[in-house]
Amino acid sequence: AMVVGTFMLLLLGAVSASIYTVQRAAAVTAVAAGARVAASGMPGTAGAARPDLAGALPVVRRVVSPVLAGTRLRSLPPDRPCPQLAAIPRGQVDLCATAAGGMVTVRLRGTPADSIPLPGLDWSLDLMAEVHVVTFAP
């Protein structure tokens, strides 16, 4: 009985860690792709490019939604910072895009719904990517 219990605990931990690894890898890829989209910009006044913060979040959502099954993805309005991790309910992940000082920041923060809570292990996601804004002028 002790061997079976120990084996099941180790198996549960390994499955939980595997799921978290896949989710984190997708989230890293997503925020990097979103930051590149935001930094590439869109046409602005006089032909100069300006950051496309609104265009970044759908890219992030498209990449992470297949691996965050059952998790509520909340896209915050552009230029609004993500709330603190403790303020985000379990099962929800916030997506944020901000621009400041020639840099674009895309952030994904929260705790996925399908993570298995194990004592001493925090399976939350808090990732961000920063990219310099690319500007082109005629």
Side-chain angles (χ1 to χ4, degrees):
M2 287 178 49
V3 172
V4 170
T6 303
F7 174 75
M8 292 304 288
L9 183 64
L10 290 174
L11 183 64
L12 181 65
V15 168
S16 180
S18 298
I19 291 170
Y20 174 74
T21 301
V22 169
Q23 290 174 338
R24 184 170 173 80
V28 167
T29 302
V31 295
R36 284 191 302 271
V37 167
S40 64
M42 59 186 180
T45 58
R50 58 186 170 91
D52 184 11
L53 299 178
L57 299 181
V59 172
V60 175
R61 179 181 289 273
R62 187 178 69 240
V63 174
V64 296
S65 61
V67 297
L68 294 177
T71 301
R72 179 175 177 246
L73 298 174
R74 183 175 74 149
S75 298
L76 297 176
D79 257 344
R80 183 171 164 206
C82 280
Q84 293 298 317
L85 189 57
I88 302 170
R90 182 173 196 77
Q92 176 176 305
V93 171
D94 287 351
L95 311 172
C96 321
T98 58
M103 295 287 286
V104 170
T105 303
V106 176
R107 180 170 231 153
L108 181 145
R109 183 184 266 177
T111 305
D114 56 356
S115 62
I116 302 168
L118 294 173
L121 298 176
D122 180 21
W123 296 126
S124 61
L125 296 169
D126 189 2
L127 303 159
M128 82 174 177
E130 291 184 322
V131 177
H132 284 280
V133 176
V134 178
T135 57
F136 299 99

